[in-house]
Amino acid sequence: MARIVMKFGGTSMAGMERIRNVAARVKHVVDQGHEVAVVVSAMAGETDRLVGFCKEASALYDPAEYDVVVAAGEQVTSGLLAMTLKAIGVDARSWLGWQLPIRTIEAHAKARISTIETDALIAAMQSGQVAVIPGFQGMMDDGRVSTLGRGGSDTSAVAVAAAVKADRCDIYTDVDGVYTTDPRIVARARKLDLVTYEEMLELASVGAKVLQTRSVGLAMKEGVVVQVLSSFDDPTQDDLPGTLIVSDEELEAKLKETKMERQLITGIAHDKNEAKIIVTRVPDKPGAVASIFTPLADAAINVDMIIQNDSKDNEETDVTFTVPRADLARSVDILEANKDAIGFRRIITDTEVAKISVVGVGMRSHAGVAATMFKTLAERGINIEAISTSEIKVSVLIDEDETELAVRVLHTAYGLDAPAA
């Protein structure tokens, strides 16, 4: 018998037919004797609908009241799933974020989980009752409802799994695992059996949409084994062909057991939600760059791919960087408000860009990964506008129109294509 947390996303909960399919899947796991908690998202599109109402009510809405509205989507699906489980003979009840409670800190609309009180939850699971928990929501210290930011149900599931010391956290989505790249772009993309936390964290942060970045970071910190599965497979299937997210040590042990070699590159990710900003004619002196990025950091705007051009006259230089496309207007407003302190000439922006990333822990011990990327793109006439790297990732900024071509040629260049059928 194992203790398992099952999480179902919006597409899995989109209507009563799919909720009944989820209930059948949960029942199958319960019938095997496992203790089960289920974390659910709102129905697909429901959160967007509720956010739209908030914007209609007030352009400058109160984030605390926003949380009250948008948390309703998960409350509906948790109640519906609990009802459906009871209708097929499975003991179940819903536990809202404030009932456990899931305590959160920091700001409304982007809260972080601090603690989860689990005594009642574990007692219910041990008695054979399925706990159905709405993802994405919690409770602030003042007792008010809070939400964790878009995609927060993944984080809720991992946090619950860590709190109840679950053997595994199964994330059910509309894909059957983590692929070497988006299979809609590359038909010969391969599903991965195992991915390390670090690799998944990098893939999630640079555009892979399978898991929310914060959930992967939390799983790595707490040592939660995560499995990505499709909610559209046969709900009674025992041999679940998903992707396990594991530690580096667990991956090495598995490779040793199967006598397989570690793949140099794990995957290629792309992100079209990037915007490029060029701040021109910035004084070339100590503190000038800090005057650009400090106000952006104070506004919680994430900056990536920073390039400072060489100063030809030792007096002025251009600074190029990227921000999330949704933060572009706010970034420009902040820079303009600080123009006198920064001393720049003008700001140039470009939203027609995309970030392409090559990720793999194998590059720690192999040279030439970046060179292969640059050469491959050059051979297809794809210009690189900016570069950023980490220990297991190389990212480049290119023209948005060349995204699919870049992903395909890089996938082939690194030997990731599945054999032809």
Side-chain angles (χ1 to χ4, degrees), residues 223-278:
V224 176
V225 176
V226 176
Q227 185 171 213
V228 179
L229 303 158
S230 171
S231 60
F232 302 114
D233 291 334
D234 180 358
T236 62
Q237 182 179 350
D238 290 326
D239 183 19
L240 300 174
T243 299
L244 279 174
I245 317 298
V246 298
S247 68
D248 206 38
E249 294 75 19
E250 288 173 288
L251 177 61
E252 288 291 352
K254 195 73 174 178
L255 292 173
K256 189 174 181 180
E257 178 185 318
T258 57
K259 297 181 179 179
M260 293 175 62
E261 290 189 10
R262 170 173 280 184
Q263 187 81 30
L264 172 61
I265 297 302
T266 298
I268 314 291
H270 70 282
D271 187 359
K272 294 183 178 181
N273 296 311
E274 294 283 312
K276 182 174 71 172
I277 297 175
I278 304 174

Side-chain angles (χ1 to χ4, degrees), residues 39-42 47 50-51 66-67 69-74 102 104 109-111 113 133-138 145-157 212:
V39 176
V40 296
S41 296
T47 303
L50 296 173
V51 170
Y66 166 94
D67 278 354
V69 175
V70 299
E74 281 75 12
I102 298 173
T104 61
K110 50 184 177 181
I113 295 173
I133 303 165
F136 179 57
Q137 64 169 244
V145 171
S146 59
T147 64
L148 310 181
R150 300 305 293 267
S153 292
D154 286 347
T155 300
S156 298
Q212 189 208 40

Side-chain angles (χ1 to χ4, degrees), residues 44 108 115 141 160 167 177 194 202 240 247-248 276 302 316 406 421:
H108 278 283
T115 59
D141 287 340
V160 169
D167 296 279
L194 297 166
E202 290 283 16
L240 300 174
S247 68
D248 206 38
K276 182 174 71 172
N302 292 321
E316 294 179 329

Side-chain angles (χ1 to χ4, degrees), residues 204-216:
S205 69
V206 294
K209 302 296 192 294
V210 178
L211 291 173
Q212 189 208 40
T213 306
R214 279 168 58 188
S215 71
V216 183

Side-chain angles (χ1 to χ4, degrees), residues 63-351:
E65 301 301 345
Y66 166 94
D67 278 354
V68 172
V69 175
V70 299
E74 281 75 12
Q75 180 168 323
V76 170
T77 50
S78 60
L80 289 173
L81 179 58
M83 288 180 194
T84 306
L85 285 167
K86 289 179 180 179
I88 60 174
V90 177
D91 186 19
R93 68 152 286 187
S94 61
W95 296 80
L96 301 186
W98 59 269
Q99 290 175 316
L100 285 171
I102 298 173
R103 298 191 181 276
T104 61
I105 56 174
E106 297 185 20
H108 278 283
K110 50 184 177 181
R112 291 183 176 273
I113 295 173
S114 57
T115 59
I116 301 177
E117 295 181 21
T118 60
D119 289 349
L121 179 61
I122 290 174
M125 294 171 68
Q126 288 176 334
S127 72
Q129 185 180 74
V130 174
V132 184
I133 303 165
F136 179 57
Q137 64 169 244
M139 183 185 77
M140 297 296 246
D141 287 340
D142 61 2
R144 298 205 66 178
V145 171
S146 59
T147 64
L148 310 181
R150 300 305 293 267
S153 292
D154 286 347
T155 300
S156 298
V158 172
V160 169
V164 302
K165 296 180 171 55
D167 296 279
R168 198 176 68 237
C169 179
D170 290 342
I171 307 285
Y172 289 86
T173 70
D174 54 0
V175 295
D176 60 351
V178 179
Y179 280 74
T180 48
T181 197
D182 188 338
R184 293 170 297 183
I185 294 176
V186 180
R188 291 172 66 183
R190 291 185 289 108
K191 184 163 66 69
L192 300 163
D193 294 327
L194 297 166
V195 177
T196 68
Y197 293 124
E198 285 183 280
E199 290 170 325
M200 194 65 241
L201 193 59
E202 290 283 16
L203 286 167
S205 69
V206 294
K209 302 296 192 294
V210 178
L211 291 173
Q212 189 208 40
T213 306
R214 279 168 58 188
S215 71
V216 183
L218 181 60
M220 180 165 64
K221 176 176 175 287
E222 300 292 340
V224 176
V225 176
V226 176
Q227 185 171 213
V228 179
L229 303 158
S230 171
S231 60
F232 302 114
D233 291 334
D234 180 358
T236 62
Q237 182 179 350
D238 290 326
D239 183 19
L240 300 174
T243 299
L244 279 174
I245 317 298
V246 298
S247 68
D248 206 38
E249 294 75 19
E250 288 173 288
L251 177 61
E252 288 291 352
K254 195 73 174 178
L255 292 173
K256 189 174 181 180
E257 178 185 318
T258 57
K259 297 181 179 179
M260 293 175 62
E261 290 189 10
R262 170 173 280 184
Q263 187 81 30
L264 172 61
I265 297 302
T266 298
I268 314 291
H270 70 282
D271 187 359
K272 294 183 178 181
N273 296 311
E274 294 283 312
K276 182 174 71 172
I277 297 175
I278 304 174
V279 184
T280 68
R281 308 293 292 274
V282 177
D284 189 9
K285 63 181 183 180
V289 174
S291 68
I292 294 173
F293 296 113
T294 299
L296 295 175
D298 291 343
I301 294 174
N302 292 321
V303 174
D304 190 17
M305 293 185 160
I306 302 170
I307 299 173
Q308 181 174 340
N309 297 338
D310 285 336
S311 173
K312 294 181 180 179
D313 54 11
N314 293 321
E315 292 183 1
E316 294 179 329
T317 185
D318 294 345
V319 178
T320 302
F321 57 94
T322 60
V323 297
R325 195 172 294 183
D327 289 330
L328 176 60
R330 197 156 56 101
S331 299
V332 172
D333 285 345
I334 290 169
L335 293 172
E336 291 289 0
N338 289 273
K339 185 173 184 177
D340 291 342
I342 300 169
F344 63 85
R345 175 70 60 85
R346 67 189 181 113
I347 295 173
I348 302 170
T349 64
D350 184 2
T351 58

